[in-house]
């Protein structure tokens, strides 16, 4: 189990999935996705992969894009990973459920213990799950239901799993994230603030919170690649995307800030938490 | 044994009275029938009238796990309690001589009634599973006994029944032993024996009139059963005390006796025993949030046993990995190091690590077990607890209920408040500070909660419980938990007013704060106790001596215990407890509480609908009065109260060992700092309200939080033998004679405490930041120290917890002083470079907060950190040119220290050698002393250190430190020892380049159980050193704090 909170962000590998051309046309899924500048989206995605690999020193695995799965790059919705366990989700959108297959395979190959949802009544988008290092919060949103959250609780029994009502179309992770082992960052929207207040009530642990002007800026990743004790990074949306939040992010002085951009993919609902999965192959070492 | 023959007839008699029908069964059948018998109520009943003494030693759990039923009755393991009983019986017999038999009858009858009651209750044990089995087994045992009883003729016929039997099969042996027990019991009953020596006198008077003693049986955490006779009207507390005494447990406030009406609900209760079934379970009642703060290993051991039960039963859910990890610590604690030779270490099917145990899990457990090599049982237990305490359901007492809409939920009472679960999800939480009132009416349970932010009114939330009793039980549990974890002292039960309705129940035991405080006073060698199957026994680190009598007792017990192991490996079995020891040591401080207890209880018996205002200590009272006041004020008052609290109740401090071992602990405190930091920083901008949102919650809980640093950090290692702390004061005094006349002073204060926290700090950057501020501040004398640290931390300065230790330190230093005087005969000359390394004394509140909270020092860490800090300092101050070379010197000094320590035994006195015994390491040191400075007579300004004003002055050094090593003229080592300190004085004289230099290095090793205040120790030592050698200067002071176990990390 490690030290509480200290397991947060520990990672050795990152998993991403290429942007299919079908996403550019906005037709692929027929789900009424807005058209994107495909080239830009792919460029940004490529840069993200580069940063993960070079800046953070992670082993990067890139799953090939699949045209039938336009939202495939948002693989953060397909799995919840903690320690050596990966819970393969059952995304709310039926069209997205096939996305989990490739991810499952990859995670399995990496040696993770795979847990399936099984329950036909459960829906769970991975980006509705916030792991703080000590506990889980699962957003009960448009995408994730109580049953889905319950399976999270069943899967990660060491940890408290609390449910947080999330209003509107957002996922929990698009409203808040972890800026450090004890720091919750959150956007300033009403939904985000509500979620954070709920979390503050539910937790037994003391967190501090940092409020950022943009909700999207709160969708950041606290990552601690490499050896224990190595300095942590915060992968966050850069000034090009969200200029007004940069100053506030500077307050997170204990992390090395690594800005990236994903303004194009954001149009289809992507955030940093959905564009990559990070994991450690030796979580208990 | 002397009484054996006599009572035989009585036994017979009794067996005649009892169900003769069952007596027909053959012993052989027993094994086969075991499965069936339990299901037969008739048999159970018929056997009820048996004196249950023979049952008391039964360990249902063992038996459950044992494969061979015929062997499962290894009674030998139960000998300890039996022997003990026997003893007291004999005593009493001698005393009371011939008494009438009447009372016996009464007793038997009562038992019958009682049992029927038991039976009539569908389930009264804690685990649905365990219940049936346990009961069944009890019955089966009863039957067995009867069977034996129809054979007494045999044993009577045998001249030496015991010996005979022992040659036969296990079964037979058991039988005979049981017989003996029986005999003893019968005898005791006829003789009207008193239950307890403690109360013997008092009761012997009453007893003659109406000795209504009843037998109580308590299932202990290791699965064994303890039974004793109690006066019928005795309070539960009496029984509880007896059990604790039996277990040799001093920190008993975390525990309680429990009886269960249904498997889901536990009730800790101690009403008059009169009203209860006579079967109790000894359990953990309040799970300590941080078990490392417990003073004694034996307490932790019992907590471990409880948690193992909780885990195996599924009450404490955890993941596969955690099951495996916890299981592996269990193995390490019970079996010791993994031993491939021992098949028992691979066949783990006798252990239960999880509710459903797979082969895979066992393999994983075995695999992890190998990693723990070298961990002592106590360490393994501690590790077990460190991991278990983080489980989300640790210490959560669940109660089934429905919410206002009839949805099934569970209410979890825990240290922090009330948790609401739906399925396995936490859907709401009410921290104690948020709860204004708890009440129940009929089967409804209500909490009144403080208005949320932006809300105007308090709201009351109701839950529906299955039964009235369940609601009341929940209510009581809440009252108890709240009082225990959150109040400093229990509330007095409300005074009876005219026509008052409602329960006057209040928790009247000690609160956690009180029990911690009391734990400081525990002053006994770590009790030796037998872990289940561990043959290594409890480790006593500081060489605690176990009394001779204890050892002899242990010998008596060890046989049985090992046999038990043979029967049921891995299963928690007999605990060898030292009877004598417990008698001696148990001063039940709770006695005074009995009165209160009983009051509360009586009233609680007659209540229907109750209200109670939960008052969150003083601070909550305040809140009630001015509930609408703004939060800031509230917090201020909290801090105020906090301070008072801290001052008034010194908390136990963890031994060094504990603290060091437990990393989360050290990480936690800085985290808290970071939190506050953030709270201060963040709110200013975007959302002040946001900050208050957390603060409201956190703020309200501040008391808790603030309490925790002291309680978590500095907890009473005081008397725990296993974790003695070991302090080393390393003072190096350097005398130098120099030609050039210049005065140099270098004072380096390395914030080792803080530094240590950072360096290993696996990350949390915010922490790091705060920490780094500290050294800076300290150098400039706290001018700006307050900026980052909240007032809370500075309040922590006021914690009086180090006080008691000051005295200790002063004592020890005085002794050192004498050493110094001796040393001083050395033709001492002059010069001063004052260099304090890692002086903890704080210049800034921030630092002290850190220090007081976490006086953990690890030598290895120190080495790592030091260079870093010094580097930083030189940056900051720019005046220290020499930081690095000093660092190296420090290390070398340590080497020296080590050497001189080796010399300790050899050179108990001052030895003047004309020919210096040259020691390599010394040479190194000397070469290092190349920082020649001169100026004899100038005094180091003492004030600076004492007032903690630190000035840095550039040392005048000749460039290549360590270049030429000079010539060693003399070197001598003086060692003296006292009880708790060893002082080694090392004097070397060298001539180098025309400068003669005398260097006195003094190493003081203070060994003790208690935490030692570094600040004090240092200040004292330095001061005295100066007084002793006014013509010399203190160049270096190094404090090491270490525990014995980790010494290897030092050099």
């Amino acid at each position: 189990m490690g030290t509480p909170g200290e397991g947060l962000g520990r990672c050795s590998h990152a998993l991403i999935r290429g942007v299919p051309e079908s996403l550019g046309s906005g037709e692929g899924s027929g789900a009424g996705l807005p058209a994107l500048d495909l080239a830009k989206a792919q460029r940004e995605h490529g840069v993200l992969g580069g940063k993960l690999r070079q800046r953070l020193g992670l082993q990067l695995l890139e799953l090939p894009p699949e045209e039938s799965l336009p939202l495939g790059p948002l693989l953060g919705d397909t799995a919840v990973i903690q320690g050596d366990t990966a819970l393969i989700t059952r995304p709310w959108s039926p069209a997205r459920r096939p996305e989990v297959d490739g991810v499952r395979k990859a995670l399995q190959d990496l040696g993770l213990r795979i847990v399936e949802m099984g329950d036909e009544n459960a829906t769970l988008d991975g980006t509705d799950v916030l792991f703080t290092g000590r506990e889980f919060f699962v957003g009960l949103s448009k995408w994730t239901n109580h049953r889905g959250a319950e399976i999270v609780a069943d899967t990660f029994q060491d940890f408290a799993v609390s449910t947080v009502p999330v209003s509107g179309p957002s996922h929990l992770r698009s409203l808040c994230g972890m800026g450090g082992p004890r720091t919750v960052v959150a956007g300033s929207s009403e939904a985000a603030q509500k979620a954070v207040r709920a979390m503050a009530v539910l937790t037994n642990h003391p967190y501090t919170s940092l409020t950022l002007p943009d909700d999207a800026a709160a969708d950041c990743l606290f990552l601690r690649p490499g050896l224990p004790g190595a300095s942590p990074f915060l992968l966050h949306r850069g000034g090009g995307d969200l200029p007004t939040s940069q100053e506030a992010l500077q307050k997170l002085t204990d992390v090395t800030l690594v800005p990236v951009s994903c303004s194009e993919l954001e149009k289809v609902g992507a955030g940093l938490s959905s564009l990559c999965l990070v994991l450690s192959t030796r979580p208990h070492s | 044994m002397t009484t054996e023959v006599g009572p035989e007839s009585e036994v017979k008699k009794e067996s005649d009275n009892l169900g003769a029908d069952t007596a027909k069964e053959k012993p052989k059948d027993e094994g086969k029938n075991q499965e069936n018998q339990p299901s037969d109520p008739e048999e159970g009943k018929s056997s009820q009238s048996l004196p249950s003494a023979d049952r008391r030693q039964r360990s249902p759990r063992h038996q459950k796990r044992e494969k061979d039923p015929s062997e499962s009755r290894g009674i030998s393991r139960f000998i300890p309690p039996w022997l003990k009983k026997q003893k007291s019986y004999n005593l009493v017999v001698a005393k009371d001589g011939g008494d009438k038999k009447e009372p016996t009858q009464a007793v038997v009858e009562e038992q019958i009634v009682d049992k029927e009651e038991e039976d009539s209750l569908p389930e009264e044990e804690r685990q649905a599973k365990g219940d049936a089995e346990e009961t069944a087994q009890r019955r089966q045992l009863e039957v067995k006994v009867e069977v034996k009883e129809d054979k007494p003729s045999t044993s009577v016929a045998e001249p030496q029944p015991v010996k005979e039997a022992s040659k036969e099969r296990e079964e037979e042996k058991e039988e005979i032993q049981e017989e003996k027990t029986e005999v003893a019991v019968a005898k005791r009953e006829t003789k009207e024996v008193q239950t307890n020596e403690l109360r013997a006198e008092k009761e012997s008077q009453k007893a003659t009139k109406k000795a209504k003693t009843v037998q109580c049986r308590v299932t202990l955490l290791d699965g064994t059963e303890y039974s004793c006779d109690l006066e019928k009207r005795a309070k539960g507390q009496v029984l509880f005390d007896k059990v604790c005494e039996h277990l040799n447990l001093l920190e008993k406030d975390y525990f309680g006796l429990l009886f269960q009406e249904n498997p889901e609900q536990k009730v800790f209760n101690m009403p008059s025993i009169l009203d209860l079934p006579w079967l109790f379970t000894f359990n953990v009642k309040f799970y300590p949030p941080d078990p490392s703060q417990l003073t004694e290993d034996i307490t932790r051991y019992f907590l471990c046993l409880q948690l193992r039960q909780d885990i195996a039963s599924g009450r404490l859910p955890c993941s596969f990995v955690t099951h495996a990890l916890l299981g592996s610590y269990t193995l390490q604690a019970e079996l010791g190091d993994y031993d491939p030779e021992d098949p028992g270490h691979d066949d783990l099917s006798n252990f239960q690590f999880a509710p459903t145990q797979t082969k895979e899990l066992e393999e994983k457990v075995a695999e992890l077990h190998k990693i723990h090599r070298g961990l002592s049982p106590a360490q393994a237990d501690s590790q077990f607890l460190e991991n278990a305490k983080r489980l989300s359901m640790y210490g959560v007492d669940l109660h089934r209920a429905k919410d206002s809409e009839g949805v099934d939920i569970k209410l979890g009472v825990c240290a922090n408040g009330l948790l609401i679960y739906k399925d396995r999800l936490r859907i709401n939480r009410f921290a104690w500070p948020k709860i204004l009132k708890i009440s129940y009416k009929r089967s409804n349970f209500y909490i009144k909660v403080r208005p949320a932010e932006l809300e105007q009114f308090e709201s009351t939330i109701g839950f529906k419980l299955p039964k009235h009793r369940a609601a009341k039980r929940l209510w009581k549990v809440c009252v108890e938990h709240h009082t225990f974890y959150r109040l400093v002292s229990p509330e007095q039960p409300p005074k009876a007013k005219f026509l008052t309705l409602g329960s006057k129940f209040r928790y009247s035991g000690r609160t956690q704060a009180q029990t911690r405080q009391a734990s400081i006073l525990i002053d006994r060698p770590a009790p030796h106790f037998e872990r289940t199957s561990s043959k290594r026994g409890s480790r006593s680190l500081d060489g605690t001596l176990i009394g001779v009598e204890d050892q002899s007792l242990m010998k008596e017990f060890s046989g049985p215990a090992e046999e038990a192991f043979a029967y049921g490996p891995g299963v928690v079995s007999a605990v060898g407890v030292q009877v004598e020891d417990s008698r001696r040591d148990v001063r039940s401080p709770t006695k005074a509480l009995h009165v209160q207890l009983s009051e509360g209880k009586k009233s609680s018996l007659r209540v229907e609908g109750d209200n109670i205002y939960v008052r969150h200590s003083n601070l909550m009272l305040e809140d009630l009065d001015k509930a609408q006041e703004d939060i800031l004020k509230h917090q201020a008052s909290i801090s105020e109260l906090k301070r008072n609290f801290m001052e008034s109740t010194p908390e136990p401090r963890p031994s060094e060992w504990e603290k060091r071992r437990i990393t989360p602990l050290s990480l936690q405190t800085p985290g808290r700092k970071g939190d506050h930091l953030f709270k201060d920083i963040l709110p200013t901008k975007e959302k002040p309200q946001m900050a208050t949102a957390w603060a409201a919650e956190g703020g309200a809980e501040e008391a808790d939080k603030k309490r925790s640093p002291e309680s978590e950090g500095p907890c009473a290692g005081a008397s725990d033998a296993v974790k003695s702390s070991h302090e080393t004061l390393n003072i190096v005094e350097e005398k130098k004679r120099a030609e050039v006349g210049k005065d140099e002073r270098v004072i380096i204060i390395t914030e080792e405490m803080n530094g240590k926290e950072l360096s290993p700090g696996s990350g949390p950057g915010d922490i790091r930041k705060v920490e780094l501020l500290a050294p800076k501040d300290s150098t400039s004398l706290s001018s700006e120290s307050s900026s980052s640290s909240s007032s809370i931390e500075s309040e922590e300065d006021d914690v009086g917890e180090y006080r008691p230790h000051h005295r200790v330190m002063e004592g020890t230093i005085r002794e050192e002083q004498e050493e110094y005087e001796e040393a001083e005969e050395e033709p001492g000359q002059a010069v001063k470079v004052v260099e304090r390394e890692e002086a903890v004394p704080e210049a800034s509140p921030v630092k002290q907060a850190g220090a007081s909270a976490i006086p953990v020092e690890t030598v290895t860490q120190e080495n790592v950190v030091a260079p870093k800090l010094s580097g930083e300092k030189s940056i900051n101050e720019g005046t220290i040119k020499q930081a690095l070379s000093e660092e190296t010197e420090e290390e070398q000094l340590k080497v020296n220290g080590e050497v001189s320590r080796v010399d300790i035994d050899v050179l108990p006195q001052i030895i003047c050698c004309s020919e210096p015994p040259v020691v390599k390491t010394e040479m190194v040191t000397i070469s290092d002393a190349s920082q020649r400075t001169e100026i004899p007579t100038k005094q180091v300004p003492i004030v600076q250190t004492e007032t903690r004003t630190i000035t840095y002055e550039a040392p005048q050094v000749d460039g290549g430190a360590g270049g030429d090593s000079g010539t060693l003229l003399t070197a001598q080592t003086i060692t003296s020892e006292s009880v708790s300190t060893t002082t080694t004085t090392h004097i070397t004289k060298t001539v180098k380049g025309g400068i003669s230099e005398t260097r006195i290095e003094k190493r003081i090793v203070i060994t003790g159980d208690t935490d030692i205040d570094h600040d004090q120790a240092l200040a004292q030592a330095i001061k005295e050193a100066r007084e002793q050698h006014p013509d010399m200067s203190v160049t270096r002071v190094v404090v090491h704090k270490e525990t014995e176990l980790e010494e290897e990390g030092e050099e």
Side-chain angles (χ1 to χ4, degrees), chain B residues 377-585:
Chain B
Q379 286 173 301
D381 277 352
S382 292
Q383 287 299 314
F384 179 95
L385 294 175
E386 276 310 302
N387 285 282
K389 77 172 187 192
R390 289 182 213 135
L391 294 168
S392 72
M393 296 306 282
Y394 173 85
V396 179
D397 188 15
L398 281 182
H399 298 253
R400 209 185 283 160
K402 288 185 194 302
D403 67 8
S404 54
E405 291 162 9
V407 177
D408 282 328
I409 56 166
K410 279 180 183 157
L411 301 179
V413 185
C414 69
N416 295 321
L418 194 59
L419 303 167
I420 316 295
Y421 292 90
K422 184 174 175 193
D423 303 313
R424 275 132 294 186
L425 294 167
R426 188 187 291 175
I427 57 171
N428 210 341
R429 171 177 173 271
F430 301 97
W432 292 128
K434 274 191 81 174
I435 300 177
L436 299 172
K437 182 173 140 181
I438 304 172
S439 57
Y440 74 95
K441 189 163 193 176
R442 287 188 284 278
S443 61
N444 293 313
F445 173 80
Y446 302 99
I447 55 174
K448 188 182 212 177
V449 298
R450 184 186 296 280
E453 180 195 2
L454 305 179
E455 283 177 12
Q456 286 284 318
F457 303 104
E458 300 158 353
S459 52
T460 297
I461 301 167
F463 304 94
K464 177 93 177 162
L465 278 95
K467 285 187 295 187
H468 163 70
R469 293 191 61 131
K472 179 175 173 181
R473 191 177 301 124
L474 173 58
W475 175 80
K476 276 179 124 176
V477 168
C478 283
V479 171
E480 288 176 337
H481 275 67
H482 170 261
T483 309
F484 183 79
Y485 289 110
R486 192 138 172 90
L487 297 191
V488 174
S489 62
E491 278 184 284
Q492 292 301 314
K495 285 179 187 163
K497 290 176 196 162
F498 183 59
L499 283 181
T500 313
L501 290 177
S503 171
K504 295 200 196 67
F505 171 81
R506 295 294 182 272
Y507 174 69
S508 52
R510 286 194 286 208
T511 64
Q512 181 172 238
Q514 288 172 325
T515 194
R516 283 179 182 164
Q517 209 171 351
S519 298
I520 307 178
L521 304 175
I522 294 179
D523 182 20
R524 65 170 179 183
H528 190 92
F529 59 96
E530 194 81 358
R531 280 181 177 77
T532 305
S533 42
S534 168
K535 291 165 191 164
R536 312 193 329 184
S538 173
R539 160 198 66 135
S540 37
L541 260 189
D542 54 356
T544 312
L545 293 178
I546 296 161
V548 179
E549 51 179 351
D550 296 345
Q551 277 174 343
S552 65
L553 272 169
M554 283 313 296
K555 261 178 220 156
E556 282 181 60
F557 293 155
S558 63
E562 289 196 5
E563 274 192 60
F565 174 40
Y567 292 136
V571 180
V572 183
S573 71
V575 191
V577 182
Q578 303 145 344
V579 184
E580 298 302 330
D581 203 22
S582 66
R583 294 267 157 73
R584 202 180 336 117
D585 285 329

Side-chain angles (χ1 to χ4, degrees), chain B residues 761-779:
Chain B
S762 11
D766 45 327
I767 299 159
R768 188 160 302 188
K769 179 176 162 200
V770 177
E771 302 283 15
L772 287 178
L773 281 176
K776 223 188 280 172
D777 289 346
S778 66
T779 56

Side-chain angles (χ1 to χ4, degrees), chain A residues 48 73-74 127 174 216 219 237 262 265-266 269-276:
Chain A
L48 171 66
L74 281 65
T127 51
S174 59
D219 186 1
R237 303 285 295 277
C262 64
L265 286 166
E266 187 181 17
L272 294 181
S273 61
S274 59
L275 288 176
C276 62

Side-chain angles (χ1 to χ4, degrees), chain A residues 12-247:
Chain A
S12 60
H13 290 67
L15 194 61
I16 61 175
R17 186 169 213 168
V19 180
E21 293 186 4
S22 58
L23 189 59
S25 63
E27 296 161 0
S29 67
L33 295 171
L36 297 185
D37 177 345
L38 181 65
K40 188 180 179 194
Q42 288 176 330
R43 193 167 60 243
E44 287 177 346
H45 193 260
V47 170
L48 171 66
K51 289 242 164 116
L52 289 169
R53 185 171 51 230
Q54 288 172 355
R55 187 75 178 82
L56 302 178
L58 295 171
Q59 295 281 323
L60 184 72
L61 279 84
E62 179 162 4
L63 300 179
E66 276 193 43
E67 294 305 321
S68 61
L69 303 172
L71 290 179
L74 281 65
L75 76 182
D77 283 323
T78 61
V80 179
I81 301 172
Q82 197 284 318
D84 66 345
T85 303
L87 172 64
I88 305 301
T89 66
R90 190 168 179 276
W92 174 83
S93 161
R96 295 195 60 191
R97 288 182 194 154
E99 290 176 20
V100 303
D101 297 330
V103 173
R104 177 194 295 115
K105 173 81 170 58
L107 295 177
Q108 212 154 20
D109 290 347
L110 284 167
L112 293 189
R113 195 170 68 92
I114 303 296
V115 178
E116 303 284 348
M117 295 269 291
D119 191 324
E120 293 297 311
N121 297 316
T123 64
L124 175 69
D125 276 14
T127 51
D128 267 324
V129 179
L130 173 65
F131 179 63
T132 70
R134 299 144 186 252
E135 62 193 313
F136 284 92
F137 293 101
V138 181
L140 295 182
S141 64
K142 177 189 169 193
W143 318 94
T144 297
N145 63 18
H146 181 83
R147 183 69 193 125
E150 213 183 326
I151 291 172
V152 175
D154 290 346
T155 306
F156 303 103
Q157 293 199 39
D158 288 346
F159 299 93
V161 179
S162 306
T163 55
V164 180
V166 173
S167 50
S170 304
H171 288 96
L172 180 64
R173 284 292 273 111
S174 59
L175 301 174
C176 57
M178 296 304 288
R182 294 173 187 82
T183 306
V184 175
V185 294
S188 50
S189 72
E190 179 58 31
Q193 289 299 305
K194 230 177 96 182
V196 169
R197 275 197 298 271
M199 286 158 54
V201 166
L202 284 160
T203 185
N204 270 334
H205 302 286
Y207 302 103
T208 52
S209 63
L210 175 64
T211 303
L212 304 172
D214 304 298
D215 283 0
D219 186 1
C220 54
L221 295 175
F222 176 83
L223 298 175
R224 232 173 343 198
L227 297 171
S231 79
F233 295 90
L234 190 75
L235 194 66
H236 68 98
R237 303 285 295 277
D241 286 6
L242 306 165
T244 55
S245 290
Q246 301 308 307
E247 188 190 340

Side-chain angles (χ1 to χ4, degrees), chain B residues 856-886:
Chain B
V856 186
E857 290 173 54
T858 315
V859 178
T860 34
Q861 286 172 333
E862 170 195 311
N863 288 337
V864 174
V865 175
K868 193 205 252 170
L869 287 175
S870 63
E872 170 163 329
K873 225 164 277 153
S874 58
I875 292 165
N876 292 337
E877 296 300 317
T879 47
I880 303 170
K881 305 166 189 170
Q882 233 204 331
L884 278 180
S885 66
E886 278 154 10

